[in-house]
Amino acid sequence: MAQGRQLYDTTQSTQREWWWLNGEQRLPCKPAQWQQYKPELERALSEKYDAMRRDGINTGLLLDLTPWHIPYQIWRVSPVTVVNRNATELLGHSAVGGYKESLWDPAVDSLPPSSLLKHGGVNYAFRKFIQVHRDDANMLLEVDP
């Protein structure tokens, strides 16, 4: 799972940190599971996110990481209610990319070890971003409304 963090200061500049959740994708997660993207990826993610917002795009491919030799893509997808009876753990729940939507709402003690979080004043809203292997991205398109 990928997500963006924002800090708004009095000069109206925006700082963001982008993190992905390593290991088991379940709550509660441990702060040490979070891995911060490299600065050049954070810049690219922020630029693409700003473009999505500016263009009024709510879902879709945010960034393909292939140019950085990483076989993943980052998507923003909408939650769906799971109706597949074979998905017993998710049946009847709202899900994002095959995970319970609640994964995008971790407790404060499960958040990444962010310098922005330590200084307060952070508006941290999980935006339903998900990092998927590029070979599996077509499955997101099958369920995204």
Side-chain angles (χ1 to χ4, degrees), residues 106-117:
V108 173
D109 62 351
S110 294
L111 293 173
S114 163
S115 61
L116 294 179
L117 289 174

Side-chain angles (χ1 to χ4, degrees), residues 44-129:
L45 286 162
S46 291
E47 288 171 8
K48 294 291 188 173
Y49 178 60
D50 288 340
M52 281 181 87
R53 289 179 60 197
R54 185 178 50 253
D55 296 341
I57 299 170
N58 294 320
T59 61
L61 176 64
L62 179 67
L63 186 65
D64 186 342
L65 303 180
T66 303
W68 290 271
H69 308 287
I70 303 170
Y72 286 88
Q73 296 177 338
I74 299 173
W75 290 74
R76 184 171 183 206
V77 297
S78 300
V80 296
T81 300
V82 176
V83 295
N84 183 340
R85 295 186 193 284
N86 294 323
T88 55
E89 189 175 320
L90 294 173
L91 185 61
H93 292 278
S94 184
V96 176
Y99 298 99
K100 283 187 181 177
E101 185 178 13
S102 59
L103 183 63
W104 278 262
D105 191 22
V108 173
D109 62 351
S110 294
L111 293 173
S114 163
S115 61
L116 294 179
L117 289 174
K118 289 178 185 172
H119 294 27
V122 175
N123 171 12
Y124 67 91
F126 286 81
R127 308 277 188 199
K128 310 305 184 283
F129 290 107

